[in-house]
Amino acid sequence: MHRRDFLRNAALGAGTLFFAPRMAFANVETDRRFVFIIQRGAADGLDTVIPHGDPSLARLRGSLAIDPNTMHKLDGMFALHPSLGRLADFYRKKQSLFVHAIASPYRERSHFDGQNVLESGGVGPYQVRDGWLNRLSTLLPKSREEAIAFAPTIPLALRGAAPVTSYAPSNLPEAPDDLLARVTTLYDGDAELHRLWSRAVETRGIAETADARQDPAAVGKTAAEFLGRADGPRIAMIETAGWDTHGGQKQRLANQLGGLDKMIGSLCDGLGDVWAKTTVLVATEFGRTATVNGTDGTDHGTAAAAMLIGGAVQGGRVVSDWPGLAPGQLYEGRDLAPTLDLDALIAMVAAESLGLDPEKTMRTLFPNRPINRQLSGLVA
Amino acid sequence: MSNPSDGARAHVALNRFGLGARLGERNPKDPSGWLTAQIKDYEPAPAAMDELPPSATIVTTYRENGAKLRALSPVKRLKVRQAQHRRGRELYGREVEARTTVALTSQTPFAERLVHFWANHFAISADMPLVTALAGSFEREAIRPHVMGRFEDMLLAVETHPAMLLYLDQVRSIGPNSDRAKRAARRGESKRLGINENLAREILELHTLGVRTGYSQADVTELALAISGWSIMGPDETVEPGGGAFRFKPLFHEPGPRAVLGKIYSQEGMDQAEAVLRDIAHSEATATHIATKLARHFVSDEPPPSLLDRLQLAFLKSEGHLPTLYQALIDAPEAWDASPRKFKTPWEWTVSALRAIGADPSTAKVAQRAKQLGQPVWRPQSPAGYDDLAASWAAPDALIRRVEVAQQLARKADPTLDARDLSKALIGPSLSRTTATEIARAESPATAIALLLVSPEFQRR
């Protein structure tokens, strides 16, 4: 028997062991897809969505300055980094929009605390133990298949009470069926391992043609295979790392953004018709200094840019209450000042993407934080 | 808390404190005495690492090649560079193999676990080519010699090691009023010279005080100015016999006194930041931070406050004398609770599995396996190092990969190994009936070994 057949049969045959009851198709609550891509390491918003119309930009950026002729102009004020060709295409098709000078409630400059606030949805680090994406999945009807992380382990945003699975392509040789069946019995009496094992077995059964390569396009393709299925997961998270560009920012960011652009492009290509029902939200824990540092890079800052891409996005615009880059306008004299709240954006976009009540979504994802109705209508 | 029997105490010493029992190894008769003895028996420079080059040599090789490179055509330059990176990766592979050999064969596995702990506390990440080549030397030169010494000496060795200086972008951080910056201004150089605050921030946040302990952005900036000039040798410099690649560059150093955490440092040159680091190393916040990480590593994801108090006190009273801290851990009743609370990380699980079946280190392919399991050696891709929490490692896909790797290891294991005997030796008194039954019923000896290695009892320590 082929491995995947085994897994599928195991999942079907031993239903009580392997998975919670699921009423696929019977109850079509939402056929929308919501994907959260985290940029770990503080991605530089000023080099991603470039405020080329701000008169202070050239003075601040010095050696990092990007040739205006290579940028993808969005409007008189903003342009996309040259590596973001697909995202610029989406913009023209009104399927992408960018939100600038945005930040989570976190105002210090530690990556790890900043990511904790972004992913947990707390006001400060380590105040909330589970993640907002997990709480979001509790708002969906139980008949849906669980949310999925495209990583071997579960990132904080997806940790919590709602069942979640994870998947990453592996080039390890497959273990024989006898061993898999026995491991199932072995973990019967161990609550933690039983739970993890059941999810792993089910998820691997789904990955029919998943590509073993780890390049960004393959990640997008794999994600599309899961999300494209009618009875597949509706919520997914993809982690990206390598955004902490303290040195050599020009080349590194070009590679990073190029990878992100490819990943989202291949997600779109793989989803086909489902793309029309999809919203992808890209965000980072905080931005970087407005000024270039002594080593052709930037240090930890405050506000950054967020991106929305997908067929469901009401795109073709940049949403920003631009604070300006003149010396008196910078936050603490060094960073882009935040004028929009990332929590409010996430809640509004997640609610509109999945057809949920915005008030309730805000309360569940980011308790005690104010909703921002001006951010409604970004997703159709 | 259960009162552990002698057998259970031996099991805790071998697995929670050590790296897992080795095939054929007897239970220590006096478990805590066995651990204490390792403090003095520890080998800072084991024979398996004899042939590996010092960091100064690695840096010199790269730098010499860098000078030659500029004289070549772009195509040739690319080829030479690729060859250089390949050699760097090969060296990384040899370093991982040496680390594994020591981990699999060491008679002082508790001490080796401490090496791994500190290397992860002061994490570098082998992402850039030169840092990849230097990753092993960082552990050999900055960590190993100080594991049984004082925290402040390890701290200084770490912050002056070329791998750390390169990884956290310190080597070209230049004080804005330094001689170098003034010269640039006189010459009308267009390039802006200045500091890079990456290393300074991580020293305070990750290496010493810990995040949210009261330091400010101003403290980060002042420390960054104090360490401006901490750099590595340039392309035209030569290494003196026994000397390292670290260089203090007075030209880059910001002149004048610095105020860090409310104290003024008016020393000149290198002494200034050294004084700052020694003060920070002794502070209460550092003691709490180190105590918490050590307790979390050895005892549980949420260590009991009583244990944290003991460890913090031991650190403070001894002014960061690490053997005193370890002895406090060995003496703490909280550390001997018989029920395992820590889910093994991929590295810990791989090492313990290889020790259990008596694998040959030279064919263990640990670099590759650790990567497949989600924890490539010295490559956490974050200066915070790898997480020490079950939630980070116990995940669906990660678990199925362990089963796949267990199967590979079991196939290569000695076919005469009997998993039933092995399970009694490895898991001891806590072997569950389910595990014993499943091992006994396995279709082949190899499957039985694989089941043992992925059993709930073996996944935790």
Side-chain angles (χ1 to χ4, degrees):
Chain A
M1 185 166 47
H2 191 273
R3 158 69 169 284
R4 292 196 175 94
D5 294 335
F6 163 78
L7 293 170
R8 200 177 302 106
N9 293 344
L12 295 173
T16 50
L17 271 182
F18 277 102
F19 66 112
R22 152 178 104 185
M23 294 179 289
F25 307 116
N27 181 2
V28 193
E29 321 74 14
T30 177
D31 53 359
R32 312 282 296 246
R33 315 296 201 266
F34 179 73
V35 182
F36 174 49
I37 301 178
I38 187 168
Q39 298 173 293
R40 291 193 194 281
D44 184 29
L46 293 178
D47 255 7
T48 306
V49 183
I50 306 159
H52 67 93
D54 191 303
S56 301
L57 185 71
R59 176 181 53 80
L60 291 169
R61 285 285 148 146
S63 63
L64 294 186
I66 292 170
D67 178 358
N69 295 317
T70 61
M71 302 173 186
H72 305 283
K73 296 268 165 61
L74 302 176
D75 56 28
M77 183 65 186
F78 297 104
L80 284 185
H81 187 280
S83 300
L84 296 173
R86 284 296 299 265
L87 296 198
D89 283 343
F90 288 129
Y91 187 87
R92 283 187 284 276
K93 286 189 253 172
K94 304 207 181 301
Q95 292 186 355
S96 71
L97 70 79
F98 305 93
V99 188
H100 220 321
I102 191 162
S104 82
Y106 181 69
R107 286 293 172 276
E108 304 295 319
R109 294 183 183 87
S110 151
H111 290 302
F112 318 105
D113 277 7
Q115 288 170 26
N116 185 279
V117 170
L118 170 59
E119 296 187 72
S120 67
V123 179
Y126 303 95
Q127 290 179 353
V128 177
R129 298 186 63 98
D130 52 9
W132 63 261
L133 203 51
N134 189 286
R135 295 195 293 281
L136 178 65
S137 80
T138 64
L139 296 178
L140 293 184
K142 289 278 176 282
S143 55
R144 280 267 73 86
E145 189 161 307
E146 58 262 29
I148 183 166
F150 293 104
T153 55
I154 309 263
L156 173 62
L158 262 175
R159 287 185 207 161
V164 168
T165 193
S166 70
Y167 176 79
S170 152
N171 47 14
L172 287 169
E174 296 176 349
D177 302 342
D178 177 69
L179 177 60
L180 295 176
R182 285 177 194 282
V183 171
T184 306
T185 320
L186 193 61
Y187 291 166
D188 244 0
D190 191 293
E192 183 188 26
L193 295 177
H194 171 70
R195 181 174 53 79
L196 300 172
W197 183 249
S198 309
R199 308 229 168 284
V201 166
E202 244 209 293
T203 308
R204 284 247 168 149
I206 296 170
E208 298 271 358
T209 58
D211 204 311
R213 290 171 304 149
Q214 292 275 15
D215 67 282
V219 173
K221 186 165 168 266
T222 304
E225 279 172 16
F226 280 85
L227 290 164
R229 290 163 59 245
D231 59 345
R234 293 297 187 257
I235 294 176
M237 175 163 173
I238 303 174
E239 298 180 271
T240 62
W243 299 96
D244 194 19
T245 49
H246 286 279
Q249 171 161 324
K250 208 163 186 176
Q251 187 54 47
R252 284 173 63 192
L253 206 57
N255 294 342
Q256 289 284 118
L257 290 170
L260 181 70
D261 195 68
K262 277 199 197 74
M263 186 166 80
I264 295 171
S266 75
L267 176 67
C268 165
D269 298 342
L271 281 176
D273 295 344
V274 176
W275 179 249
K277 304 165 190 167
T278 301
T279 306
V280 179
L281 170 66
V282 185
T284 188
E285 68 263 28
F286 46 71
R288 310 192 66 83
T289 48
T291 319
V292 56
N293 67 12
T295 53
D296 298 322
T298 48
D299 291 325
H300 301 184
T302 307
M307 314 184 213
L308 282 179
I309 310 101
V313 173
Q314 299 289 84
R317 51 187 163 148
V318 178
V319 176
S320 175
D321 175 7
W322 187 245
L325 294 172
Q329 294 168 326
L330 294 177
Y331 179 77
E332 295 187 347
R334 52 181 271 156
D335 309 335
L336 178 64
T339 53
L340 283 171
D341 175 32
L342 183 57
D343 287 355
L345 176 76
I346 291 171
M348 193 59 87
V349 166
E352 291 188 339
S353 299
L354 297 168
L356 302 168
D357 172 44
E359 293 274 359
K360 187 180 176 195
T361 307
M362 189 77 208
R363 260 198 325 273
T364 310
L365 270 54
F366 307 103
N368 306 319
R369 297 274 297 150
I371 196 163
N372 182 353
R373 297 231 168 250
Q374 287 174 333
L375 293 171
S376 66
L378 301 183
V379 178
Chain B
M1 202 180 300
S2 52
N3 194 12
S5 67
D6 286 352
R9 280 180 70 86
H11 187 69
V12 167
L14 284 168
N15 295 291
R16 187 175 304 156
F17 286 91
L19 298 170
R22 283 172 68 207
L23 183 65
E25 188 175 30
R26 291 235 185 103
N27 278 355
K29 284 209 182 75
D30 168 14
S32 60
W34 178 68
L35 296 173
T36 302
Q38 295 185 33
I39 294 174
K40 66 172 172 32
D41 293 343
Y42 164 69
E43 284 184 89
M49 297 177 177
D50 279 352
E51 303 295 315
L52 294 163
S55 59
T57 309
I58 302 169
V59 171
T60 314
T61 313
Y62 265 77
R63 288 303 166 98
E64 276 173 6
N65 290 346
K68 280 183 207 149
L69 274 178
R70 279 185 284 278
L72 299 174
S73 72
V75 179
K76 277 197 177 157
R77 202 183 302 162
L78 184 69
K79 281 204 173 146
V80 174
R81 217 169 244 148
Q82 281 167 343
Q84 216 175 56
H85 293 176
R86 196 177 53 242
R87 280 200 304 280
R89 283 196 302 274
E90 279 164 10
L91 176 57
Y92 168 85
R94 283 169 58 206
E95 295 273 9
V96 174
E97 194 183 316
R99 184 196 220 220
T100 310
T101 302
V102 175
L104 296 194
T105 57
S106 174
Q107 301 294 318
T108 56
F110 170 50
E112 291 304 319
R113 175 177 283 284
L114 287 164
V115 170
H116 307 157
F117 168 80
W118 286 113
N120 189 57
H121 173 76
F122 290 112
I124 52 158
S125 189
D127 303 318
M128 290 181 287
L130 184 49
V131 178
T132 303
L134 286 166
S137 73
F138 175 74
E139 186 168 299
R140 287 185 284 114
E141 295 169 357
I143 305 294
R144 296 196 69 95
H146 303 287
V147 164
M148 299 302 167
R150 308 197 78 88
F151 178 75
E152 62 188 279
D153 295 328
M154 193 190 296
L155 178 67
L156 278 161
V158 161
E159 312 306 355
T160 54
H161 195 278
M164 183 62 81
L165 295 165
L166 285 161
Y167 174 51
L168 292 180
D169 312 293
Q170 175 61 30
V171 293
R172 290 198 307 121
S173 183
I174 297 172
N177 299 302
S178 65
D179 291 345
R180 178 70 187 80
K182 283 188 193 148
R183 194 173 74 196
R186 272 200 311 276
R187 290 178 180 170
E189 285 177 24
S190 62
K191 198 174 140 30
R192 199 191 298 244
L193 297 178
I195 52 166
N196 178 317
E197 61 186 37
N198 202 12
L199 178 63
R201 181 182 305 281
E202 305 307 13
I203 288 175
L204 296 180
E205 175 177 334
L206 300 173
H207 298 169
T208 59
L209 305 173
V211 74
R212 276 168 284 117
T213 48
Y215 62 87
S216 65
Q217 175 61 45
D219 291 319
V220 172
T221 309
E222 285 286 283
L223 179 57
L225 291 169
I227 60 172
S228 57
W230 288 33
S231 187
I232 62 172
M233 55 194 288
D236 45 357
E237 293 176 63
T238 48
V239 198
E240 289 162 25
F246 174 77
R247 292 290 181 278
F248 176 73
K249 295 185 174 163
L251 272 179
F252 287 12
H253 184 66
E254 179 76 0
R258 302 263 76 84
V260 184
L261 296 160
K263 185 170 166 182
I264 307 293
Y265 294 86
S266 31
Q267 295 86 339
E268 291 190 3
M270 170 96 196
D271 294 347
Q272 184 176 54
E274 184 173 336
V276 179
L277 292 188
R278 290 201 187 273
D279 280 349
I280 294 172
H282 292 164
S283 80
E284 203 164 306
T286 299
T288 307
H289 186 206
I290 299 302
T292 307
K293 285 193 77 170
L294 198 70
R296 188 183 297 140
H297 180 78
F298 278 93
V299 177
S300 77
D301 289 6
E302 311 244 351
S306 56
L307 176 64
L308 297 183
D309 290 347
R310 279 175 216 280
L311 297 181
Q312 194 216 22
L313 194 67
F315 187 100
L316 280 177
K317 277 177 89 173
S318 69
E319 298 189 317
H321 182 244
L322 298 175
T324 306
L325 180 67
Y326 307 149
Q327 192 59 52
L329 179 71
I330 297 168
D331 294 339
E334 296 92 337
W336 294 89
D337 185 14
S339 54
R341 300 193 186 280
K342 292 295 292 184
F343 189 83
K344 290 178 185 173
T345 64
W347 164 260
E348 292 172 334
W349 179 79
T350 309
V351 166
S352 63
L354 292 167
R355 285 173 68 95
I357 60 172
D360 175 358
S362 64
T363 59
K365 292 194 200 152
V366 167
Q368 187 193 330
R369 296 217 157 93
K371 193 175 164 197
Q372 287 165 335
L373 293 171
Q375 192 185 24
V377 178
W378 300 313
R379 208 184 159 211
Q381 294 191 286
S382 154
Y386 285 113
D387 220 334
D388 219 342
L389 299 170
S392 302
W393 302 113
D397 204 59
L399 194 58
I400 212 161
R401 288 182 188 207
R402 282 192 192 187
V403 174
E404 287 165 346
V405 170
Q407 172 66 13
Q408 285 184 313
L409 296 180
R411 272 195 205 136
K412 285 194 186 164
D414 176 354
T416 63
L417 276 183
D418 187 325
R420 288 165 297 188
D421 300 340
L422 202 55
S423 66
K424 285 179 202 123
L426 291 174
I427 298 175
S430 56
L431 181 69
S432 75
R433 186 175 291 176
T434 312
T435 301
T437 310
E438 285 309 306
I439 287 172
R441 283 184 189 163
E443 65 173 2
S444 68
T447 300
I449 299 275
L451 283 170
L452 169 60
L453 299 180
V454 299
S455 66
E457 296 92 323
F458 198 81
Q459 299 265 16
R460 303 195 181 96
R461 61 177 173 95

